[in-house]
Amino acid sequence: MKLLPILFLVFSLNSFAQSYTEQIAKHRDSYKQDFVKEANSPLKEADLNNLHFFDADSTYKVIADVEILKNEKIFKMPTYDGTSKEFFRFAKIKFILNSKETVMTLYKNVALAGNPAFRNLLFLPFTDETNNKETYGGGRYIDLSSTDILNNKVEIDFNKAYNPYCAYSDGYRCPVPPEENDLQLEIKAGEKLYTGEKKHRK
């Protein structure tokens, strides 16, 4: 009889892993289709075969403590085309990943904050030690919503990390991840290097 709880636990864990893998697969399918629908997209449907991802790994989904920042000044975040975009620091987040305490900053885009459709959008750009090896050298992004923050906690899922448009084409104003979000560890989750030919936007 003692074996039953163990078998049930193994079954439950397997079911969780399968359902999580399916959840990430659906997220990625939707992500790919957005390239086809978006008029400003750097990729066409034929390019989608050149998108690659790490296998879904729930250990890269963490619950972070959130400290909302007050009275933050607007600053100019540089972009890869040599211009900049206005942001302000919205919150500090702290979590444990790969047995290492990690602190990052969530940002809010000033222009988008004034648009009702995007007023809750939070921006989490980062670099890590997979850059220029397995992932895009310019870092990756995660999108969140301020409504995701509950009781000063928020879920951060690095499996949903994606490349900026600059990974596929020049001519886009992609923010450069600030140094404070340079992670001293490998994030083997989310989107990998694009293997297609980089385009030149007219």
Side-chain angles (χ1 to χ4, degrees):
M1 291 296 289
K2 289 181 180 178
L3 192 59
L4 285 175
I6 296 171
L7 289 174
F8 179 74
L9 179 62
V10 170
F11 177 76
S12 298
L13 290 173
N14 286 341
S15 297
F16 170 78
Q18 185 177 20
S19 60
Y20 180 71
T21 300
E22 289 170 355
Q23 178 190 330
I24 292 300
K26 287 178 183 176
H27 174 83
R28 290 173 177 172
D29 285 341
S30 176
Y31 170 73
K32 290 177 183 178
Q33 289 311 306
D34 283 344
F35 283 108
V36 181
K37 298 172 190 172
E38 172 60 54
N40 198 36
S41 171
L43 302 180
K44 305 298 181 189
E45 192 152 12
D47 300 316
L48 301 183
N49 290 329
N50 297 312
L51 297 179
H52 307 281
F53 304 86
F54 289 99
D55 290 341
D57 184 348
S58 61
T59 61
Y60 284 98
K61 184 176 72 168
V62 298
I63 302 297
D65 293 321
V66 180
E67 178 194 351
I68 304 294
L69 302 174
K70 306 292 185 185
N71 304 315
E72 286 291 315
K73 292 181 179 178
I74 292 171
F75 72 98
K76 293 184 183 296
M77 191 181 291
T79 62
Y80 281 111
D81 72 344
T83 61
S84 63
K85 292 184 177 182
E86 290 190 329
F87 285 84
F88 63 89
R89 291 172 176 83
F90 180 81
K92 287 284 185 184
I93 56 173
K94 185 187 294 184
F95 53 90
I96 303 292
L97 183 60
N98 294 344
S99 302
K100 187 171 184 177
E101 184 173 89
T102 303
V103 178
M104 300 177 75
T105 303
L106 291 172
Y107 305 92
K108 206 159 195 179
N109 182 302
V110 174
L112 291 180
N115 183 327
F118 299 103
R119 66 184 176 189
N120 294 321
L121 182 66
L122 299 178
F123 182 52
L124 184 62
F126 69 95
T127 48
D128 71 278
E129 293 184 355
T130 66
N131 297 157
N132 290 315
K133 301 169 190 170
E134 296 165 283
T135 62
Y136 175 58
R140 291 176 289 168
Y141 303 157
I142 296 174
D143 292 334
L144 297 162
S145 171
S146 56
T147 59
D148 296 332
I149 300 171
L150 299 171
N151 300 317
N152 297 317
K153 294 190 181 292
V154 69
E155 181 183 280
I156 307 294
D157 193 344
F158 287 98
N159 291 277
K160 295 178 180 178
Y162 66 93
N163 290 337
Y165 276 7
C166 296
Y168 319 116
S169 173
D170 57 16
Y172 288 93
R173 296 178 63 209
C174 308
V176 179
E179 283 187 22
E180 60 188 343
N181 280 0
D182 179 26
L183 304 181
Q184 302 303 304
L185 45 84
E186 292 183 323
I187 302 293
K188 290 180 174 287
E191 189 167 359
K192 292 183 173 183
L193 276 169
Y194 177 66
T195 55
E197 186 175 342
K198 193 165 185 178
K199 296 176 169 50
H200 300 285
R201 192 179 180 210
K202 295 178 182 177

